[in-house]
Amino acid sequence: MVGLVIFGMNTPETSVYYGRQLPKRYLNEIRELGLLEKEEQIVYFYSDALLDIKDGMYFVSDQHLVIYCQDWEEPATILNFEDLTKIEVEYSDSFFEDSYVVVESASGFEISFPISSEKGMDKKFVEHIESKMPSTGDAIEQVDVTPRPKR
């Protein structure tokens, strides 16, 4: 039983963290990896790793979207919000399955990552990205919802 408690205390939460609630040891590791600029602040953070956040972490700051996995050829992907042109999300209603996000940049670069659906934080994470993306008039389809008279 004690082993399970110690294990649980040293593993990432299964839900999205608010940036200010991120454990200091995670923030220190993120800074050591060079994933944050000096004055940059994390807004939302999620790791799907079992033991070590370097096995998969995804966060949005006030300046960037950061996707990191030490097993990838290029572990760190840091995207400026103004370079993002498209975001697609497959939301999950299940506690056991993460939502799935795909973003695309102006250069056509695409990358995907999971976000925990617990407590609806996946939606907040995605809404933050969308709020920072440049709005493109042609990407937003306008729908006329004016009531029409009955004939």
Side-chain angles (χ1 to χ4, degrees):
M1 186 67 144
V2 172
L4 288 175
V5 170
I6 291 171
F7 178 77
M9 290 173 43
N10 292 310
T11 59
E13 289 288 327
T14 59
S15 62
V16 173
Y17 287 94
Y18 287 103
R20 297 187 55 79
Q21 295 175 331
L22 190 62
K24 189 180 270 190
R25 68 182 186 277
Y26 295 165
L27 187 56
N28 290 340
E29 196 162 356
I30 289 166
R31 292 202 185 280
E32 286 173 16
L33 291 168
L35 302 177
L36 278 179
E37 294 178 9
K38 188 172 181 152
E39 299 299 319
E40 192 172 7
Q41 298 293 314
I42 294 175
V43 179
Y44 298 108
F45 173 92
Y46 176 63
S47 176
D48 62 348
L50 184 58
L51 297 173
D52 184 354
I53 62 170
K54 290 183 287 196
D55 290 337
M57 70 173 121
Y58 323 97
F59 63 88
V60 287
S61 71
D62 52 350
Q63 299 175 32
H64 300 100
L65 167 62
V66 179
I67 302 163
Y68 185 94
C69 181
Q70 68 183 355
D71 293 334
W72 295 343
E73 180 180 341
E74 185 64 40
T77 301
I78 302 173
L79 298 165
N80 294 319
F81 293 118
E82 59 268 9
D83 293 335
L84 299 179
T85 57
K86 185 176 180 184
I87 184 167
E88 295 178 353
V89 186
E90 185 178 313
Y91 287 108
S92 172
D93 292 330
S94 170
F95 173 82
F96 299 104
E97 289 184 16
D98 290 341
S99 294
Y100 191 72
V101 180
V102 179
V103 294
E104 185 177 322
S105 72
S107 67
F109 174 78
E110 279 189 2
I111 194 161
S112 61
F113 57 97
I115 295 294
S116 172
S117 60
E118 286 183 52
K119 305 172 193 166
M121 294 297 289
D122 53 346
K123 291 175 178 64
K124 289 184 181 229
F125 195 109
V126 169
E127 286 169 2
H128 181 76
I129 296 170
E130 290 174 328
S131 74
K132 297 287 190 172
M133 289 174 61
S135 62
T136 55
D138 57 348
I140 300 170
E141 183 179 329
Q142 299 293 322
V143 178
D144 183 9
V145 292
T146 307
R148 298 178 192 256
K150 293 183 179 181
R151 292 185 185 184

